[in-house]
């Protein structure tokens, strides 16, 4: 694909940036285009940007504030990174917006900050942007406007936020109040920073609140805001906390490059994916806070590769706008709190513009990503994930045995799903990747075929994977269990799954408890494209392949003896963020005998040619009771 021509980018530099061709100038031009594109949607005083698209549940005024606040982040990084040497109209727009947004008589005033309101999120972006642009905006504001801005922020003081990453919005906003001599609560700041300690789980990983909540919020919120708070507090005001945050971010970044494919795509997992390249925030932050273990050339290659990945696929669109989706608009990949300006949290992905132009991140030659150098296997015990990348096709796959976005059960609960809110296609799947997305449209998720092992009720209703109970995660192996329920059956049936990685393959070993007569079904990765994927199936195998050569296949190695229709490919439309036509290969077993049965499946996602019949002979499976032994052609043996 070619970069969108409407961006008017400078020529590529293949000496400095041999992998992407991108330099700092490309970032600046992209930022300028995104900012300029917003002006037609501004209210007269520039306090709100009311963009086209579906409104959030917070309403049009809150959405308008969101447009101002999130784009102000991008403007701030651009202004501060250039030392103020930008088009004066840019600083004037955002200064004018502060005056109008805090003036009750302006007709476009921002909503007051109230407990747990969406405005709290947006205020944090305004606080950070004001701090970073202080010499060019805050210090030049009329004293009366400064007072109104401080008064607006005062809604945080003593207020209540949701008990997750929102605690940090209060922290950075009240620290900004402190920095300008306005009233604030030290207890609010310390309380928020103390609270995130309860969610630190080791190896650089936090949970976003109580539970197993692991996704990109760990990088673009849980790591980002504490270190931005430290920038506002200054070295004499952080109480030694910044050193801890820097150490944790450094550890997190050791593994983080393994989440990105050779084409620049991040693994497609978790909520708020319309923020897209906000996933780059911790990468830039490591350089900004001088705590990154990544070489400068790797930092820029990773960041430029991801931004270029999206621009090549129409992000921003021909209007210069970010839409609610991944590439094109795709609402099932969003949440009810997502409004038309929500995607502008992607501004966090431009944090690197705060680094001066002569910083080594901008001047060093690009280095390859891990997946460009070799096949990779990365075990992440904290979130319960395995990452495996294959050099020949550049795909990274995430095997999920730990993140379900559900609260933890209460002590003493005997129901394994007690207190869980339900399942979500962006958390409940067995696997995700940089080349695929889950079937997330409601009509498709009701069928719940892709990357899921289900018990089927007589009417075809599938069981769900609600709460994931991790068992182990090390080397190339991870395991967990979950409870499966069928309509009318009060019993929770335990499904235990172990994933074993070998080359480009994932072998799933399932121990399935089920009532007699229940049907077991398992799907592979959903592939999607502009045109309908090719599909084929045979005894014990099924395959789907897109027009550009991405193949997904499932091969039954043991326990799949459902008869002549035991393998098929399910098709759908408008169900997948990667394209309008999608397909999922799946296996369907014979009626369960009751009690416990073992199923072993080989799952393939590859840009190579895939021959499912041949793959069955690549792994020998031996089952003895609950013990399963996998013998591979290269001599490797794994016991599960």
């Amino acid at each position: 694909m070619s970069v969108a021509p409407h961006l008017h980018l400078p020529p590529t530099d293949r000496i400095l940036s041999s992998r992407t061709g991108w330099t700092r100038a490309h970032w600046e031009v992209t930022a300028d285009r995104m900012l300029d594109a917003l002006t037609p949607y501004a209210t007269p005083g520039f306090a709100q940007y009311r963009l086209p698209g579906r409104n959030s549940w917070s309403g049009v005024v809150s959405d308008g504030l969101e447009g101002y606040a999130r784009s102000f982040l991008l403007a701030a990084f651009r202004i501060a990174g250039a030392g103020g040497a930008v088009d004066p109209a840019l600083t004037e727009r955002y200064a004018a917006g502060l005056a109008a947004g805090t003036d009750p008589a302006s007709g476009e005033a921002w909503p007051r900050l109230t407990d747990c309101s969406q405005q709290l999120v947006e205020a944090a972006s305004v606080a950070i942007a004001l701090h970073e642009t202080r010499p060019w905006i805050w210090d030049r504001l009329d004293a009366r406007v400064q007072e109104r801005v401080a008064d607006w922020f005062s809604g945080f003081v003593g207020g209540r936020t949701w008990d997750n990453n929102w605690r940090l919005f209060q922290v950075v906003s009240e620290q900004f109040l402190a920095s300008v001599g306005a009233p604030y609560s030290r207890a609010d700041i310390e309380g928020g920073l103390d609270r995130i300690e309860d969610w630190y789980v080791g190896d650089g990983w936090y949970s976003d609140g109580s539970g197993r909540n692991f996704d990109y919020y760990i990088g673009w919120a849980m790591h980002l805001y504490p270190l931005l708070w430290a920038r506002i507090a200054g070295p004499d005001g952080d109480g030694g906390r910044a050193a801890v945050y820097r150490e944790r971010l450094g550890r997190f970044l050791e593994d983080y490059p393994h989440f990105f494919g050779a084409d620049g795509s991040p693994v497609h997992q978790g909520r708020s994916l319309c923020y897209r390249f906000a996933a780059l925030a911790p990468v830039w932050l490591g350089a900004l806070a001088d705590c990154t273990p990544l070489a400068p050339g790797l930092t820029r290659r990773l960041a430029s590769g991801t931004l270029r990945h999206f621009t090549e696929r129409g992000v921003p669109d021909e209007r210069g706008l970010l839409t609610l989706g991944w590439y094109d608009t795709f609402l099932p990949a969003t949440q009810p709190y997502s409004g038309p300006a929500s995607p502008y949290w992607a501004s966090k992905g431009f944090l690197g513009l705060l680094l001066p132009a002569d910083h080594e991140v901008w001047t060093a030659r690009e280095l390859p990503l891990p997946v460009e150098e070799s096949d990779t296997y990365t075990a992440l015990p904290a979130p319960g994930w395995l990452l495996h990348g294959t050099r020949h096709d550049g795909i990274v796959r995430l095997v999920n045995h730990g993140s379900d976005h559900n609260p933890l059960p209460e002590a003493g609960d005997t129901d394994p799903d007690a207190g869980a809110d339900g399942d979500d296609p962006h958390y409940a799947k067995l696997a995700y990747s940089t080349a695929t997305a889950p079937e997330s449209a409601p009509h498709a998720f009701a069928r719940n075929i892709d990357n899921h092992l289900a018990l089927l009720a007589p009417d075809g209703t599938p069981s769900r994977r609600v709460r994931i109970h991790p068992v182990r995660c090390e080397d190339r192996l991870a395991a967990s269990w979950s409870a499966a329920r069928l309509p009318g059956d009060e019993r929770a049936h335990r499904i235990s799954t172990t994933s074993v990685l070998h080359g480009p393959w994932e072998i799933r070993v399932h121990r399935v408890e089920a009532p007699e007569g229940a049907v077991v079904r398992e799907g592979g990765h959903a592939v999607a494209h502009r045109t309908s994927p090719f599909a084929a199936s045979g005894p014990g195998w099924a395959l789907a392949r897109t027009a550009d050569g991405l193949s997904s296949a499932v091969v039954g190695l043991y326990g799949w003896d459902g008869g002549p229709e035991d393998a098929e490919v399910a098709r759908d439309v408008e169900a997948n963020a990667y394209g309008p036509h999608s397909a999922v290969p799946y296996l369907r077993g014979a009626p369960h005998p009751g009690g416990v049965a073992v199923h072993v499946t080989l799952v393939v996602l590859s840009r190579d040619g895939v021959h499912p019949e041949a793959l069955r002979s690549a792994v020998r499976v031996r089952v003895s009771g609950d013990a399963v032994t996998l013998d591979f052609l290269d001599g490797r043996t794994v016991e599960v």
Side-chain angles (χ1 to χ4, degrees), residues 121 161-171 196 199 207-209 215 217-218 220-222 225 271 345 348:
V121 184
T161 74
W162 297 119
D163 198 29
N164 54 19
N165 70 87
W166 282 46
R167 297 293 295 267
L168 296 170
F169 304 148
Q170 184 173 38
V171 166
I196 69 171
W199 304 326
S207 171
D208 181 12
D215 56 24
Y217 273 84
I218 309 312
W220 67 42
M222 304 306 294
Y225 288 104
R271 71 195 190 285
W345 247 26
K348 296 178 179 183

Side-chain angles (χ1 to χ4, degrees), residues 173-237:
S173 297
E174 293 202 45
Q175 191 63 55
F176 174 73
L177 285 174
S179 74
V180 297
Y184 72 101
S185 169
R186 174 55 57 183
D188 286 349
I189 295 173
E190 297 295 334
L193 295 174
D194 288 344
R195 183 60 173 131
I196 69 171
E197 296 303 310
D198 298 331
W199 304 326
Y200 185 68
V201 296
D203 294 337
W205 283 87
Y206 295 87
S207 171
D208 181 12
S210 179
R212 298 196 61 81
N213 306 320
F214 303 109
D215 56 24
Y216 287 110
Y217 273 84
I218 309 312
W220 67 42
M222 304 306 294
H223 280 293
L224 182 69
Y225 288 104
L227 279 167
L228 293 182
W229 162 81
R231 283 173 66 85
I232 303 173
D236 298 327

Side-chain angles (χ1 to χ4, degrees), residues 348-422:
K348 296 178 179 183
F350 286 81
L351 189 68
L353 290 179
L354 289 178
L355 296 166
D358 60 357
H359 190 281
E360 57 185 348
V361 161
W362 293 116
T363 60
R365 298 188 68 177
E366 283 185 347
L367 297 176
L369 293 170
V371 74
E372 293 178 299
E373 294 192 292
S374 65
D375 291 355
T376 61
Y377 303 92
T378 308
L380 302 173
W385 288 341
L386 295 178
L387 295 170
H388 63 127
T390 40
R391 181 186 179 193
H392 66 277
D393 58 14
I395 296 174
V396 172
R397 307 152 193 84
L398 184 154
V399 179
N400 177 30
H401 287 276
S403 182
D404 57 28
H405 201 241
N406 273 304
L408 295 174
E410 298 291 335
D413 278 334
T414 56
D415 182 343
D417 287 339
D421 296 329

